[in-house]
Amino acid sequence: MVLPVAPQIESDMREERSRFMTFANFPTRNVLGLRLAQAGFFYTGCDEIVKCFCCHRYYSRWHTNDVIFRTGSFMHAADCAFMLGTDSSNVPMQDGPS
């Protein structure tokens, strides 16, 4: 069972930095929070469950024998605008001063 994420928190997840911050207490150590945040996911705070901010699909099937888990389209809904590159609400982290 997945507990719902508060709507105001979920709307903040459009920002990659906000998504990345949710992984501070993520229990799965073979998965990089930065990579998941860049892939559109945030940690729900429940078990090892992450959720896409755009398509709202949950993912939790981690391969514990992988050194670093691979992210990809298989984690998203087939029509996920973020995955398809048509979403305009994502706010990526800046690499440095502009």
Side-chain angles (χ1 to χ4, degrees), residues 12-21 34 37-39 82 90-93:
D12 293 342
M13 292 304 121
R14 293 172 295 175
E15 296 184 15
E16 190 176 294
R17 182 178 312 279
S18 295
R19 294 193 301 268
F20 175 63
M21 300 288 286
L34 179 59
Q38 290 170 332
F82 179 80
N90 180 55
V91 180
M93 281 194 268

Side-chain angles (χ1 to χ4, degrees), residues 6-45:
Q8 70 275 13
I9 294 172
E10 196 158 329
S11 68
D12 293 342
M13 292 304 121
R14 293 172 295 175
E15 296 184 15
E16 190 176 294
R17 182 178 312 279
S18 295
R19 294 193 301 268
F20 175 63
M21 300 288 286
T22 66
F23 288 98
N25 297 316
F26 190 55
T28 304
R29 298 293 171 221
N30 64 332
V31 180
L32 293 178
L34 179 59
R35 183 177 288 177
L36 287 170
Q38 290 170 332
F41 290 92
F42 62 92
Y43 177 45
T44 63

Side-chain angles (χ1 to χ4, degrees), residues 2 6 16 38 46 50 68 76:
V2 176
E16 190 176 294
Q38 290 170 332
C46 182
V50 298
I68 297 176
H76 296 271

